[in-house]
């Protein structure tokens, strides 16, 4: 069984704790080290007990607390060389452990499969984590889903997927300049609710029990809108068994934990 706890989600910070057997792993560290320490302590997993930190990519909303967390605790950081390079340029030094996209590796009781995703970062990835028959996919920060992303995640038991924006709300948004909207909507930007719904429907199987919606925009999305779009698509394909959660929204206080 894998226990997944969403610690934070969205442009102000992203972090996920995954536990299986004797192993605890943090995926992304996008909150301050102080806040991550508090949250991990609250889940009886102080940072020094982590087997490693996996990074999806170098953007600050995924790495803000990395330096503070690793500096004191010597936690290995699993990433690909290009992501590490770009963090090193920002002065980050740590116990790097390199993987290549597409090549599975083991961290304690987890088997981890990283795969490339299209996003405006050095070498961004998604992950599928496996432990025994249980599997959990992380699909956040991607502009669209190429075939290989679908193939890598089809059949998993749970998926955390980005539902960043509602396209109409984003297009009508007054705060964002045109260039920023173009970046978000591009093929290397972020998934809309509809794009996330289409992707969930493609990877869904009778074994998909949980969908966790992540990285919702504060201004250009709403939990009910995102959840409704995903549920509507699942129901249209005859799927009535998959639960859709929106961690951080009403009814899903953070940290939000599920077991798969
Ligand atoms: Zn990003
Ligand atoms: Zn992000």
């Amino acid at each position: 069984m894998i226990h997944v706890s969403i610690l934070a989600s969205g442009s102000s910070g992203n972090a996920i704790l995954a536990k299986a057997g004797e192993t605890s792993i943090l995926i992304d560290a996008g909150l301050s080290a102080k806040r991550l320490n508090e949250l991990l302590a609250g889940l009886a997993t102080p940072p020094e007990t982590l087997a490693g930190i996996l990074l999806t990519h170098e953007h600050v909303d995924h790495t803000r607390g990395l330096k503070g967390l690793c500096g004191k605790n010597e936690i290995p950081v699993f990433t690909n060389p290009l992501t590490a390079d770009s963090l090193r340029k920002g002065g980050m030094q740590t116990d790097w452990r390199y993987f290549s996209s597409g090549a599975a590796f083991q961290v304690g009781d987890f088997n981890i499969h990283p795969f490339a995703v299209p996003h405006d970062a050095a070498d961004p990835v998604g992950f599928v984590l496996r432990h025994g028959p249980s599997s959990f996919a992380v699909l956040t920060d991607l502009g669209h889903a190429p075939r290989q992303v679908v193939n890598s995640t089809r059949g998993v038991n749970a998926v955390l997927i980005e539902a960043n924006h509602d396209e109409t709300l984003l297009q009508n948004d007054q705060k964002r300049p045109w260039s920023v909207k173009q970046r978000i909507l591009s093929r290397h930007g972020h998934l809309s609710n509809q794009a996330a719904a289409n992707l969930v429907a493609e990877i869904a199987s009778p074994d998909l029990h949980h969908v966790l919606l992540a990285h919702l925009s504060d201004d250009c999305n709403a939990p009910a809108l995102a959840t409704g779009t995903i549920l509507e698509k699942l129901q249209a394909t005859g799927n009535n068994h998959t639960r859709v959660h929106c961690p951080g929204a009403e009814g899903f206080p953070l940290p939000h934990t599920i077991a798969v």
Side-chain angles (χ1 to χ4, degrees), residues 14-258:
N14 297 275
I16 307 160
L17 177 67
K19 292 186 172 201
E22 299 292 307
T23 306
S24 302
I25 285 178
L26 190 67
I27 305 159
D28 288 340
L31 295 173
S32 71
K34 181 170 176 281
R35 185 71 190 122
L36 283 170
N37 270 308
E38 289 166 2
L39 286 165
L40 289 169
L43 293 164
T45 316
E48 63 272 20
T49 65
L50 292 172
I53 301 174
L54 302 181
L55 295 183
T56 57
H57 64 301
E58 72 277 16
H59 287 164
V60 68
D61 56 318
H62 299 257
T63 56
R64 187 175 284 115
L66 193 61
K67 211 173 192 172
L69 210 57
C70 296
K72 278 193 218 134
N73 301 294
E74 296 180 15
I75 309 163
V77 176
F78 294 85
T79 185
N80 51 37
L82 289 177
T83 301
D85 277 351
S86 80
L87 288 165
R88 259 195 299 262
K89 279 181 201 148
M92 177 73 200
Q93 282 183 25
T94 190
D95 177 9
W96 303 108
R97 308 285 173 95
Y98 292 143
F99 59 71
S100 349
S101 303
F105 58 98
Q106 198 77 22
V107 178
D109 292 321
F110 279 107
N111 181 263
I112 297 161
H113 175 221
F115 52 89
V117 296
H119 185 57
D120 54 0
D123 194 3
V125 296
F127 296 107
V128 175
L129 276 65
R130 294 180 193 281
H131 174 72
S134 304
S135 53
F136 166 60
V138 178
L139 265 180
T140 183
D141 295 54
L142 67 166
H144 68 284
R147 184 63 18 206
Q148 144 267 2
V149 168
V150 176
N151 291 342
S152 297
T153 51
R154 184 177 279 138
V156 294
N157 303 130
V159 61
L160 174 129
I161 188 167
E162 163 175 66
N164 180 259
H165 56 273
D166 174 84
E167 279 200 36
T168 311
L169 288 181
L170 179 62
Q171 255 139 13
N172 294 340
D173 181 55
Q174 303 293 316
K175 282 196 221 158
R176 288 169 177 75
W178 183 83
S179 59
V180 172
K181 292 184 189 181
Q182 284 308 303
R183 197 217 124 211
I184 295 170
L185 287 165
S186 81
R187 287 172 68 77
H188 290 81
H190 290 277
L191 287 185
S192 69
N193 292 341
Q194 196 57 57
N198 293 344
L199 179 50
V200 167
E202 274 207 88
I203 68 176
S205 72
D207 298 322
L208 180 67
H209 302 303
H210 301 281
V211 172
L212 299 155
L213 300 182
H215 225 298
L216 269 71
S217 160
D218 287 337
D219 307 320
C220 302
N221 209 349
L225 192 57
T227 305
T229 308
I230 309 295
L231 279 174
E232 194 179 312
K233 181 74 185 183
L234 282 172
Q235 278 156 11
T237 64
N239 178 324
N240 294 306
H241 66 275
T242 300
R243 278 198 63 194
V244 179
H245 314 233
C246 196
E250 209 182 323
F252 302 100
L254 296 173
H256 177 66
T257 302
I258 60 160

